[in-house]
Amino acid sequence: MAPAYPGSEATPAGMESDEALMARYIDGDQGAFEALFHRYHPMLLRLMRRRGASASEANDLVQQTFLQLHRARNDFRRDARVRPYLMTIALNVHRGTLRRRGRHPEEALHVDESFEVADPKELRDTVVAEEDAARVRHALAELPESQRRVIELHWFDEMPFKEVARVVGASLSAVKVRAFRGYGKLRSSLDEEVRS
Amino acid sequence: MSHEPIDSAAAFARLSQKIDDDQSIVGWLKSRPTWVHKLIAGLTVVGATLFGVVFLRRPDLDAYPVLRMTVSIGAIAAVLFVSLGWSLRPMHKRALPPWAVAAMAVGAVALSFGLAITPTHYAPDPAHLPHGAEWVHALRCLYFGALVGLPVYVVGRLLDRTRDPSRAVLAAGAAGLTGQLVLLLHCPISDPTHLVTGHASVVAVFLALVWFVVRVERRIRRRAVA
């Protein structure tokens, strides 16, 4: 059964870590690959849906992501972490698909009413209904791409800033600044909506 | 909340089928580590260059200004290998921004034409120069350069794990520069008009062809989606 938060630092007792699974997979254990797939499949589907893919497109993109993981398995350093590795591949697959179609990555995000808002931190108390979630999505869509990306990974995918920095290819401090500004804009944008 | 049921088992079965279908030589090649990809691509460039040096060396190579030759080879090789390396960049690293790819393509063209129009202050012995119409020589050089660069492009595309068009552009730049490098070591004509039309044009032709193919593919995809 897939854990709620794949790849999180605290792997539940008895559950093999992503890194251990990946190591077994590199050594030729197909079962480990399947376990990784089931662990990350739902999360990657949500990621693709949030970035504007339709249900079938998201499925296809996740398949491509794992195909790329399979092809790139020999590039994986055994002291690295799996989640940022896989997330970067997923985002590159998404971006590459848009480029092939001649669409700019920033055009991709549209408001997808079916996507899941996962357990937010500071804002979680204010977002209690789907209506509120829709407001958040609209506010999020108005953020600059660099800030939106950081917030999506940190908030929705619950990645620590250190991993977000690896995925977006920026320094830890730059990511924290983007998150600070982005969350600030989100908060004021939502406050304005509530007041109006 | 998500309203769609997720059939993870069926999705994995489809993925397994895709992986099984990927068991060709090309699939095996794509699964090699990135350092192996870069080694294969680099050896292809070196092989093409050595072929030019050993079998088709320019007759005036010993008399050609050493500094000029060193700077030209160094500049071409530097841009070539960066372009080739970028075209094989692994997927787990952040993708290059579009402006970087465009800058590399423009840089490759600028370098080619820059070297072609920079005076060499060197007049080769007329006995070494081929006779006949200039445009025929230029076309021959263009054809030869493209032929030599083609394996680099093909290897670059075969080793690429993605279908990202920006990587095709980078591979095309590297292929064109390989052609120009071999031409530098092969052709004794130092007239700037010939160098522009027959040598520097190899990079431009590769890039223009790939750009055209990418545009056509995009148009076809858009029509298919529409």
Side-chain angles (χ1 to χ4, degrees):
Chain A
M1 189 65 192
Y5 310 119
S8 55
E9 296 286 345
T11 306
M15 177 173 277
E16 199 168 6
S17 72
D18 295 343
E19 288 67 35
L21 284 173
M22 191 67 189
R24 281 207 286 124
Y25 173 49
I26 294 167
D27 293 336
D29 184 347
Q30 294 301 313
F33 182 56
E34 187 169 358
L36 272 176
F37 180 86
H38 292 309
R39 200 173 277 190
Y40 278 98
H41 183 242
M43 179 180 149
L44 290 176
L45 272 181
R46 285 199 301 272
L47 176 81
M48 298 304 181
R49 295 285 278 137
R50 270 204 311 277
R51 298 185 82 78
S54 68
S56 65
E57 279 174 341
N59 264 312
D60 188 44
L61 290 168
V62 174
Q63 297 263 316
Q64 281 183 47
T65 300
F66 278 98
L67 184 62
Q68 292 297 340
L69 177 70
H70 166 74
R71 284 175 174 171
R73 65 192 181 282
N74 291 314
D75 278 337
F76 184 78
R77 284 192 353 256
R78 289 179 190 245
D79 59 339
R81 290 183 54 77
V82 170
R83 186 164 64 168
Y85 190 85
L86 188 58
M87 292 296 277
T88 310
I89 292 177
L91 292 173
N92 283 337
V93 163
H94 180 262
R95 186 184 289 111
T97 303
L98 293 182
R99 276 190 190 162
R100 278 201 305 282
R101 291 178 192 165
R103 277 160 70 189
H104 195 274
E106 288 179 21
E107 290 172 30
L109 196 139
H110 67 245
V111 178
D112 173 3
E113 299 301 333
S114 69
F115 96 125
E116 183 176 355
V117 176
D119 204 18
K121 288 179 180 157
E122 282 192 301
L123 294 167
R124 81 177 66 181
D125 294 335
T126 61
V127 183
V128 289
E130 294 232 347
E131 194 180 318
D132 292 329
R135 281 199 197 110
V136 173
R137 288 194 292 272
H138 282 290
L140 196 59
E142 283 169 11
L143 290 180
E145 166 73 7
S146 61
Q147 292 173 10
R148 188 173 64 222
R149 230 173 140 211
V150 165
I151 288 179
E152 280 181 348
L153 294 171
H154 178 245
W155 183 12
F156 297 121
D157 297 324
E158 302 196 324
M159 273 193 180
F161 282 126
K162 209 170 158 187
E163 285 186 9
V164 175
R166 265 184 245 160
V167 172
V168 302
S171 69
L172 180 61
S173 52
V175 162
K176 283 183 176 174
V177 168
R178 285 182 206 173
F180 177 76
R181 289 181 181 156
Y183 279 124
K185 280 183 196 167
L186 261 185
R187 195 175 292 118
S188 52
S189 165
L190 289 170
D191 284 346
E192 271 175 35
E193 276 203 43
V194 170
R195 275 198 293 271
S196 63
Chain B
M1 302 293 283
S2 181
H3 301 303
E4 293 138 16
I6 298 170
D7 189 351
S8 202
F12 185 75
R14 283 199 301 279
L15 175 66
S16 300
Q17 185 61 50
K18 275 185 187 168
I19 290 174
D20 287 345
D21 294 344
D22 204 37
Q23 299 297 321
S24 60
I25 292 174
V26 174
W28 181 84
L29 266 177
K30 286 182 196 291
S31 298
R32 296 309 90 205
T34 299
W35 71 265
V36 174
H37 285 181
K38 289 183 176 174
L39 184 69
I40 293 171
L43 286 176
T44 308
V45 173
V46 172
T49 310
L50 283 179
F51 173 77
V53 173
V54 174
F55 298 108
L56 302 160
R57 186 193 317 202
R58 61 192 292 168
D60 64 337
L61 190 63
D62 296 336
Y64 194 86
V66 175
L67 182 64
R68 165 75 186 215
M69 182 60 84
T70 308
V71 169
S72 300
I73 290 176
I76 292 173
V79 178
L80 192 168
F81 282 110
V82 171
S83 190
L84 200 57
W86 283 8
S87 76
L88 298 170
R89 189 178 168 83
M91 285 286 275
H92 65 271
K93 291 196 173 168
R94 193 184 176 217
L96 292 165
W99 64 261
V101 177
M104 181 55 75
V106 171
V109 173
L111 173 68
S112 308
F113 283 92
L115 287 174
I117 60 172
T118 309
T120 54
H121 302 296
Y122 163 70
D125 185 339
H128 291 148
L129 296 176
H131 299 286
E134 281 180 12
W135 65 270
V136 174
H137 296 310
L139 270 181
R140 274 187 194 154
C141 278
L142 175 59
Y143 177 70
F144 176 66
L147 209 62
V148 170
L150 193 62
V152 175
Y153 180 75
V154 172
V155 166
R157 299 312 295 146
L158 281 179
L159 295 175
D160 178 25
R161 296 178 183 138
T162 71
R163 287 177 292 161
D164 190 342
S166 63
R167 289 166 186 259
V169 171
L170 290 166
L177 287 169
T178 305
Q180 200 187 0
L181 184 60
V182 175
L183 282 170
L184 176 69
L185 297 162
H186 163 70
C187 172
I189 302 174
S190 57
D191 172 43
T193 311
H194 173 82
L195 294 179
V196 166
T197 52
H199 294 207
S201 54
V202 177
V203 178
V205 164
F206 261 108
L207 287 170
L209 280 175
V210 167
W211 180 81
F212 178 74
V213 170
V214 166
R215 298 286 296 181
V216 170
E217 274 183 358
R218 270 185 192 165
R219 191 161 287 184
I220 290 169
R221 275 207 182 86
R222 276 181 176 167
R223 278 188 188 164
V225 170

